[in-house]
Amino acid sequence: MDAAAITAPERLWSAQEVLMRPSPVPAVAAVYGWHFEKAPYADLAVGRLLYVGIAPRYMANRTSTQNLRKRVRYHYRGNAAGSTLRLTLGCLLGLELRRVGSGKRMTFGKAGEAALSQWMAENARVCWIEQIEPWTMESELISQLDLPLNLDQNRRNPFHGRLKELRAHARQRARELPISG
């Protein structure tokens, strides 16, 4: 495993570059890593890898339609209901999570998601490594690196408890508020 391509990449891609048409991001299976020029939370370091993700995720019973391009573009412009990275960043930045639609989905609302997309455009940069079975490399990276924004498979990380608490508090608060339009 060559973790350097994720931890110290030759190139990091901005939202503006990723969202161009045609996109420079290949529609392949991959592990991707997020680096931040500004910390989303005071206790976190800047200018280094804080989160890894994969596309597609492992699915034993069906084939995923996800690929690197779809996932990375969604993280930059989607919403917290479909992106654990966006959920985490929004909670760390203190955005108000709200129930939307039927009340089962939670996002930061139109204004909050727009603010988060703007923050990510200014501060979040992504890199990737093409991998046929990205879930195997993801597990290795999480076990070997300090990735404070990853919750899954990462209980040993010193930031895990704090992040889990912040996200749980945001969800609980959202349940107490009326469903947002």
Side-chain angles (χ1 to χ4, degrees), residues 120-167:
M120 288 183 72
E122 293 169 6
N123 300 293
R125 302 293 179 263
V126 67
C127 60
W128 57 85
I129 303 172
E130 293 184 26
Q131 284 291 114
I132 293 171
E133 294 183 344
W135 47 90
T136 56
M137 186 176 199
E138 179 191 38
S139 294
E140 289 176 34
L141 291 169
I142 291 170
S143 71
Q144 295 173 16
L145 302 174
D146 175 23
L147 298 167
L149 302 188
N150 281 85
L151 284 177
D152 188 39
Q153 308 175 58
N154 204 20
R155 275 196 178 85
R156 64 165 180 72
N157 191 285
F159 196 63
H160 185 273
R162 181 71 184 126
L163 178 55
K164 199 169 177 182
E165 181 183 294
L166 282 166
R167 286 177 36 152

